[in-house]
């Protein structure tokens, strides 16, 4: 079968090749509606498919960005990606999403693969394990934005929750309704994962501000597969916590599993607050009190920052953008 070319479309629509080119690039300023309709019909009848590779070489752009997520299982990640995709769609950019599984080696392979595919920029939820590679992209002025993580050695704009405010909201609410034996648990802080470290430190700061003694046996970080045993150890103490803040959605799920298996009543036996407003929070029994992140705003900012960097090579913004959390009061505490 003969490959249909732009010349074939032009001949079929009785217009010049440059007019077809303008149509394909959505430059309609001086193009009549009848001309556009003839070109559209010709493209459809002939089955013409633009040569994306040739166009990208000519324009020096693939109109594609890559998103590499540290762990796509987090509700936060998928919600942010959803908004990034919306913004890119509006700007006629394509999206390639990769999941690094918190593995620096896998992240490295994805960065190299996406750059080989000549994506115009990257949004990364960084594992933190590829500092040299991040730095090389910065030095080469490759458009790059981080989400949910800060890599201190690398000057890259980063989209972050105000984690100190999040922990203050959760802690103050529990204290205000009468709890003092408050625990905090989150995933491992191995590789200095920014939000986890900030939340641990901010939790302790929030306790001190309310004149509550910091009990280190109530503060735990663990690999996800070990959370159940960590909870067992924490809640088997002679004077166990009676309220718990889960540092993210996956940790919250582990806390709820533990409570169900041990037949703990929430909130009578254990009050619970989760960071991240999980999809089932409002219809779980009891409904779950959560701290939500403004994921739409964060995704929008990440996308717009990257697109600005792609369009303006002189853009050197390396600011950290903090977004305010919201306390959603329900029935789990």
């Amino acid at each position: 079968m003969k490959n249909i070319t732009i010349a074939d479309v032009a001949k079929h629509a009785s217009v010049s090749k440059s007019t077809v080119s303008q149509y394909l690039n959505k430059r309609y300023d001086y193009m009549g509606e009848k001309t556009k309709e003839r070109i559209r019909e010709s493209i459809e009848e002939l089955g013409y498919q633009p040569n994306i590779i040739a166009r990208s070489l000519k324009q020096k752009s693939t109109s594609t960005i890559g998103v590499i997520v540290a762990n796509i299982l987090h509700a936060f990640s998928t919600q942010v990606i959803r908004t990034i995709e919306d913004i890119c769609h509006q700007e006629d950019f394509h999206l390639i999403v990769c999941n690094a599984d918190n593995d620096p080696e896998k992240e490295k392979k994805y960065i190299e693969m996406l750059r080989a595919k000549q994506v115009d920029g990257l949004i990364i939820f960084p594992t933190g394990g590829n500092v040299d590679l991040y730095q090389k992209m910065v030095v080469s002025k490759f458009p790059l934005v981080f989400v949910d993580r800060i890599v201190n050695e690398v000057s890259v704009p980063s989209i972050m929750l105000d984690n100190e405010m999040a922990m203050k909201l959760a802690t103050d609410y529990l204290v205000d309704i009468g709890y003092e034996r408050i625990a905090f648990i989150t995933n491992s802080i191995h590789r200095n994962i920014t939000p986890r470290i900030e939340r641990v430190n901010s939790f302790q700061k929030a306790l001190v501000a309310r004149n509550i003694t910091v009990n280190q046996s109530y503060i735990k970080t663990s690999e996800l597969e070990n959370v159940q045993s960590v909870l067992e150890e924490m809640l088997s103490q002679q004077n166990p916590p009676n309220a718990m803040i889960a540092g993210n959605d996956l940790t919250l799920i582990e806390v709820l599993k533990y409570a169900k298996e041990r037949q703990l009543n929430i909130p009578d036996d254990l009050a619970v607050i989760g960071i991240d407003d999980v999809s089932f929070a409002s219809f779980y029994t009891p409904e779950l009190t959560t701290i939500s992140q403004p994921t739409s705003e964060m995704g929008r900012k990440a996308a717009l920052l990257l697109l600005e960097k792609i369009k303006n090579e002189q853009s050197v913004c390396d600011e950290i953008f903090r977004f305010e959390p919201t306390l959603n009061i329900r029935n789990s505490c």
Side-chain angles (χ1 to χ4, degrees):
M1 182 180 289
K2 176 189 173 185
N3 284 332
I4 303 300
T5 68
I6 196 171
D8 296 322
V9 174
K11 182 178 179 180
H12 190 275
S14 300
V15 297
S16 67
K17 288 195 296 183
S18 64
T19 300
V20 176
S21 178
Q22 288 171 0
Y23 175 89
L24 293 172
N25 288 292
K26 299 184 179 180
R27 296 198 295 269
Y28 307 135
D29 294 351
Y30 303 103
M31 192 178 299
E33 288 300 322
K34 290 184 178 180
T35 300
K36 286 196 288 185
E37 183 61 20
R38 285 207 313 278
I39 296 172
R40 187 194 66 76
E41 290 176 352
S42 295
I43 288 172
E44 188 173 316
E45 288 180 30
L46 296 174
Y48 172 71
Q49 290 290 331
N51 188 326
I52 301 298
I53 295 175
R55 185 190 297 183
S56 66
L57 289 172
K58 184 177 180 180
Q59 297 179 346
K60 297 183 180 180
S61 169
T62 58
S63 295
T64 305
I65 70 169
V67 177
I68 304 176
V69 188
N71 186 347
I72 205 165
L73 292 177
H74 285 292
F76 169 80
S77 300
T78 54
Q79 290 164 7
V80 170
I81 292 169
R82 181 68 179 84
T83 304
I84 291 172
E85 193 275 334
D86 282 343
I87 300 300
C88 289
H89 179 70
Q90 292 169 16
E91 297 293 326
D92 285 328
F93 270 74
H94 308 292
L95 205 65
I96 301 175
V97 179
C98 304
N99 174 41
D101 277 330
N102 290 311
D103 179 355
E105 189 58 36
K106 193 173 180 182
E107 177 188 61
K108 180 182 178 183
K109 288 181 179 179
Y110 278 137
I111 290 173
E112 292 171 344
M113 178 271 288
L114 290 168
R115 295 207 65 186
K117 289 183 178 295
Q118 297 185 320
V119 296
D120 294 331
L122 287 174
I123 295 174
I124 303 180
F125 298 58
T127 64
N130 288 296
V131 174
D132 290 344
L133 188 53
Y134 307 148
Q135 189 60 45
K136 285 179 182 177
M137 288 189 281
V138 171
V139 171
S140 67
K141 297 184 178 180
F142 181 77
L144 181 62
V145 172
F146 287 163
V147 174
D148 199 40
R149 312 276 171 92
I150 297 169
V151 181
N152 291 322
E153 302 91 332
V154 186
S155 295
V156 171
S158 301
I159 307 300
M160 297 290 299
L161 181 69
D162 185 338
N163 288 301
E164 183 171 333
M165 182 178 177
M167 297 313 301
K168 178 174 171 54
L169 284 172
T171 305
D172 282 352
Y173 178 67
L174 288 170
V175 174
D176 287 343
I177 60 176
Y179 293 97
E180 292 189 0
R181 303 197 315 273
I182 306 170
F184 176 79
I185 187 166
T186 193
N187 307 59
S188 170
I189 57 174
H190 177 58
R191 287 199 307 272
N192 298 316
I193 303 300
T194 313
R196 299 175 194 173
I197 291 176
E198 289 186 349
R199 289 170 194 176
V200 169
N201 294 337
S202 297
F203 172 62
Q204 297 179 80
K205 183 177 178 179
L207 289 175
V208 171
R210 296 303 299 265
N211 297 313
I212 294 177
T213 301
V214 177
N215 185 338
Q216 292 298 334
S217 70
Y218 290 176
I219 303 172
K220 298 294 182 181
T221 64
S222 168
E223 296 295 344
L224 204 60
E225 58 267 25
N226 298 324
V227 167
Q228 295 288 316
S229 59
V230 171
L231 288 169
E232 178 68 24
E233 179 183 350
M234 185 192 298
L235 294 169
S236 297
Q237 298 179 70
Q238 187 172 359
N239 194 31
N242 57 2
M244 183 168 296
I245 302 171
N248 57 47
D249 56 339
L250 298 183
T251 308
L252 173 64
I253 290 171
E254 293 300 315
V255 171
L256 297 177
K257 283 181 184 176
Y258 180 89
K260 183 176 181 180
E261 289 172 3
R262 300 302 190 282
Q263 296 185 326
L264 297 179
N265 182 279
I266 298 174
D268 295 339
D269 298 323
L270 183 68
V272 175
I273 292 183
I275 308 295
D276 293 324
D277 194 30
V278 291
S279 60
F280 56 85
S282 62
F283 57 84
Y284 189 83
T285 304
E287 295 179 351
L288 301 172
T289 296
T290 61
I291 301 289
S292 59
Q293 304 193 52
T295 52
S296 292
E297 294 175 41
M298 296 168 84
R300 177 179 176 81
K301 185 65 176 180
L304 293 177
L305 271 174
L306 188 69
L307 292 172
E308 171 60 25
K309 278 178 162 284
I310 291 169
K311 295 171 184 177
N312 179 12
E313 294 181 358
Q314 303 305 313
S315 177
V316 292
C317 168
D318 59 359
E319 186 178 346
I320 297 172
F321 297 88
R322 294 278 182 179
F323 290 78
E324 291 189 5
T326 301
L327 172 65
N328 307 292
I329 299 173
R330 300 189 180 103
N331 301 320
S332 61
C333 52

